[in-house]
């Protein structure tokens, strides 16, 4: 590890490991405040492309998270010839995946809305700044020491704008939008699709498009046949189903943006609007 990092932070135990680096708990020598630091030893990167990926991740995370209250904040970046260290906000609580998998029943609509609203606020800020996250899933939804939601891991993020499309099979199979799986150009609405999958899982305990292998999952995503099995969704409100249809819409031109999701009545009511009529 770099000497500069060790001067300013006391490095603690390992708390995680990612594709390119190891995450440790650390403490500021000046303030005593706790953080997490992701440390990447450049010599272990396979090639120049890997190196560019980790350097870009740090820059995009700084840009997307700065002042974004529901994204993991980047405190500092240290780099020398051998190491790249990204000091970040510490989120010690169980992530959303652990919260969902640790329950015997799906989340109530009010609980799901309490997650979806700040998640979509984080996504909307990223999109306004020209950043698509591209890997939204429960594992990347963290919570800080006060229980505030924090969107994490910008390792797959990409900048967009000026009409430039994005390409590449990036993300996690269950959460990929159809246009990503199909190999077409796509835009930031892939994040809305992924967040829609997260919402479906919170309300049902299962993914909307599934299979036993990655190929079967991809085939189900491409069909995009959205269903609400009665035995699972009989207690879920029409308003929640309406939002899911608008987020998990194969027609990109009709799919909601992050801002439209935030204005949907189910979100603005905190999941408490149980109207019997479908919204128009």
């Amino acid at each position: 590890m770099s000497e500069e990092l060790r001067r300013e932070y006391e490095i603690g135990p390992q708390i995680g490991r990612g594709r390119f680096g190891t995450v440790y708990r650390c403490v500021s020598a000046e303030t005593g405040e706790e953080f997490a630091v992701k440390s990447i030893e450049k010599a272990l990167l396979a090639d120049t492309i890997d190196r560019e990926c980790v350097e870009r991740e740090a820059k995009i995370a700084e840009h997307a998270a700065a002042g974004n209250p529901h994204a993991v904040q980047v405190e500092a970046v240290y780099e020398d010839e051998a190491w790249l260290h990204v000091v970040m906000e510490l989120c010690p609580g169980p992530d959303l995946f652990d919260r969902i998998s640790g329950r015997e029943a799906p989340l109530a609509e009010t609980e799901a809305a309490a997650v979806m609203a700040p998640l979509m606020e984080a996504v909307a800020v990223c999109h306004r700044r020209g950043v698509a996250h591209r890997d939204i899933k429960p594992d990347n939804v963290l919570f800080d020491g006060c229980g505030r939601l924090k969107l994490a891991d910008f390792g797959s993020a990409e900048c967009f704008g000026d009409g430039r499309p994005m390409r590449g099979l990036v993300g996690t199979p269950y959460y990929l939008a159809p246009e990503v799986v199909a190999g077409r150009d796509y835009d930031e609405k892939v994040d809305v699709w992924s967040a829609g999958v997260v919402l479906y899982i919170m309300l049902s305990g299962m993914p909307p498009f599934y299979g036993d292998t990655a190929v079967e999952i991809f085939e189900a995503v491409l069909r995009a046949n959205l269903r609400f099995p009665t035995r699972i969704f009989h207690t879920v409100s029409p308003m929640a189903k309406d939002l899911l249809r608008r987020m998990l819409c194969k027609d990109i031109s009709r799919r909601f943006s992050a801002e439209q999701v935030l204005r949907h009545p189910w979100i603005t009511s905190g999941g408490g609007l149980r109207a019997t009529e479908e919204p128009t």
Side-chain angles (χ1 to χ4, degrees):
M1 287 191 178
S2 68
E3 289 301 318
E4 186 179 8
L5 175 72
R6 288 189 176 279
R7 281 198 303 270
E8 300 194 20
Y9 294 89
E10 179 183 340
I11 309 302
Q14 177 181 325
I15 56 175
R17 180 176 289 275
R19 177 184 171 194
F20 290 119
T22 304
V23 182
Y24 302 90
R25 188 183 293 260
C26 65
V27 179
S28 168
E30 181 180 354
T31 67
E33 188 175 355
E34 287 191 303
F35 295 94
V37 57
K38 185 175 184 178
S39 297
I40 301 104
E41 188 174 5
K42 293 181 177 180
L44 299 180
L45 300 178
D47 51 34
T48 303
I49 294 175
D50 283 351
R51 186 165 300 185
E52 290 174 351
C53 282
V54 298
E55 291 173 351
R56 185 182 67 194
E57 176 185 356
K59 291 176 182 177
I60 290 178
E62 277 191 294
H63 173 61
N68 187 342
H70 294 294
V72 172
Q73 300 297 301
V74 176
E75 180 72 12
V77 177
Y78 299 87
E79 184 175 8
D80 56 29
E81 290 186 1
W83 292 90
L84 175 67
H85 305 284
V86 183
V87 180
M88 302 171 289
E89 187 176 7
L90 179 65
C91 295
D95 61 31
L96 182 59
F97 178 85
D98 291 332
R99 291 192 177 193
I100 294 173
S101 60
R103 296 171 59 105
E104 294 183 359
L107 274 66
E109 290 189 41
T110 51
E111 293 177 289
V115 170
M116 190 55 50
L119 174 59
M120 295 312 299
E121 286 174 14
V123 172
V125 172
C126 289
H127 290 180
R128 287 197 294 270
R129 294 176 179 176
V131 173
H133 186 279
R134 300 204 300 176
D135 196 19
I136 292 175
K137 58 184 178 180
D139 319 53
N140 288 335
V141 178
L142 310 183
F143 298 89
D144 69 11
C146 297
R148 289 182 293 250
L149 181 144
K150 299 285 182 173
L151 179 60
D153 195 348
F154 285 81
S156 299
E158 184 63 272
C159 294
F160 65 89
D162 301 324
R164 293 171 304 177
M166 292 175 282
R167 289 188 69 87
L169 188 63
V170 178
T172 303
Y174 282 121
Y175 304 91
L176 293 177
E179 60 270 27
V180 177
V181 176
R184 300 197 301 269
D185 292 348
Y186 52 84
D187 63 18
E188 70 277 12
K189 284 187 179 180
V190 297
D191 286 343
V192 176
W193 177 281
S194 299
V197 175
V198 172
L199 177 56
Y200 189 103
I201 291 172
M202 286 194 292
L203 293 175
S204 70
M206 60 183 290
F209 314 107
Y210 55 89
D212 293 329
T213 66
V215 171
E216 289 180 0
I217 296 168
F218 290 159
E219 290 173 348
V221 169
L222 287 172
R223 288 193 297 270
N225 186 12
L226 182 62
R227 295 179 177 179
F228 301 110
T230 303
R231 64 184 177 82
I232 298 173
F233 278 89
H234 67 282
T235 61
V236 175
S237 70
M239 199 69 70
K241 295 174 187 174
D242 177 78
L243 178 56
L244 284 166
R245 291 189 187 97
R246 295 173 189 265
M247 297 177 75
L248 296 173
C249 179
K250 189 174 182 179
D251 184 344
I252 304 166
S253 67
R254 294 174 54 238
R255 188 184 306 160
F256 266 14
S257 68
E259 299 283 0
Q260 287 175 306
V261 173
L262 288 170
R263 294 195 297 269
H264 190 274
W266 188 82
I267 294 289
T268 59
S269 70
L273 188 59
R274 315 249 341 152
T276 56
E277 297 293 328
E278 297 283 349
T280 58

